[in-house]
Amino acid sequence: DAMILEGLVTTLNPDGGVNLAPQGPLVSGDLTRFTFRPFATSTTYANLKRARCGVFHVVDDVLLIARFALGDDRPLPRMRPAVIVPGQVLVDCCRWYEFSIDNIDESGERPVFEAQVVHAERIRDSLGFNRARNAVIEATILATRLHLTGRDAVQTELKRLRPLVEKTGGPVEHEAFEFVSRYVESWTPSQMD
């Protein structure tokens, strides 16, 4: 009864600064266990391995997800201290889950961090399902894989997704889709994921 849930994770850097990154952990049906699979080259990986804790956020701001997925990571959104773990909570999120890592398996292609939720809170309801928001999330994920698929394949998919945003999106979804489109247009093969 597990599924992947897209969201944002905050972890603390060695200097105490905050790293904010999109993550899609595998979550248990009761949302008490998360399985993270960050890339071994990522700051999230290094922070989780060192600190063994973090905060996972359910958000409905697709522009925030797109920005942080594609490297436009300043300024950081407003945050406040977490309740149980050393970390930071996004002030504007729907729900958050503080977690501690209880197992790390680095024997496979990607490291696997098993986490137990130690505290959770709800700030507000999510706006709900929207085809434009889903299209922006999909476009963002495609843009993070440009180094694997190339620009032409991603632009073909963006053309397919654009009408969903144009027909069903609001200003934030339109801005987010244009942000992703500009990123894809300006991408060069020398850029790293």
Side-chain angles (χ1 to χ4, degrees):
D1 66 339
M3 70 169 186
I4 290 179
L5 181 62
E6 300 293 341
L8 293 166
V9 170
T10 54
T11 55
L12 292 183
N13 298 324
D15 66 1
V18 178
N19 180 65
L20 175 63
Q23 286 284 306
L26 190 64
V27 299
S28 63
D30 62 0
L31 297 172
T32 61
R33 302 273 318 158
F34 292 176
T35 302
F36 294 94
R37 297 181 59 218
F39 289 104
T41 55
S42 70
T43 302
T44 299
Y45 162 82
N47 288 348
L48 288 178
K49 186 168 182 176
R50 188 191 71 263
R52 300 182 73 94
C53 65
V55 183
F56 179 77
H57 303 82
V58 175
V59 299
D60 54 11
D61 182 342
V62 292
L63 180 57
L64 189 63
I65 292 173
R67 281 184 46 228
F68 280 81
L70 301 178
D72 181 18
D73 57 3
R74 293 290 177 256
L76 286 169
R78 285 187 14 210
M79 298 184 202
R80 66 176 184 76
V83 176
I84 304 290
V85 303
Q88 293 288 310
V89 173
L90 296 176
V91 169
D92 183 21
C93 69
C94 300
R95 300 187 313 273
W96 88 83
Y97 299 87
E98 298 177 30
F99 61 86
S100 64
I101 304 294
D102 53 28
N103 188 54
I104 302 172
D105 179 358
E106 298 194 73
S107 63
E109 186 178 317
R110 279 175 60 185
V112 176
F113 291 80
E114 298 288 341
Q116 176 70 43
V117 172
V118 296
H119 183 78
E121 287 193 33
R122 178 187 159 280
I123 292 180
R124 62 176 172 79
D125 290 337
S126 170
L127 187 59
F129 294 113
N130 175 276
R131 294 178 76 198
R133 288 179 175 193
N134 294 337
V136 170
I137 295 294
E138 191 59 32
T140 300
I141 292 168
L142 290 166
T144 66
R145 297 179 178 164
L146 279 161
H147 66 290
L148 300 172
T149 62
R151 186 184 1 247
D152 291 345
V154 173
Q155 285 181 322
T156 298
E157 286 301 304
L158 292 182
K159 285 179 188 156
R160 184 182 64 77
L161 294 169
R162 182 175 294 280
L164 298 175
V165 176
E166 290 173 351
K167 291 178 185 176
T168 67
V172 171
E173 292 76 25
H174 285 266
E175 183 180 352
F177 195 81
E178 290 311 312
F179 172 81
V180 175
S181 297
R182 285 190 307 273
Y183 177 88
V184 171
E185 187 61 38
S186 67
W187 180 82
T188 59
S190 63
Q191 287 176 260
M192 294 303 293
D193 181 16

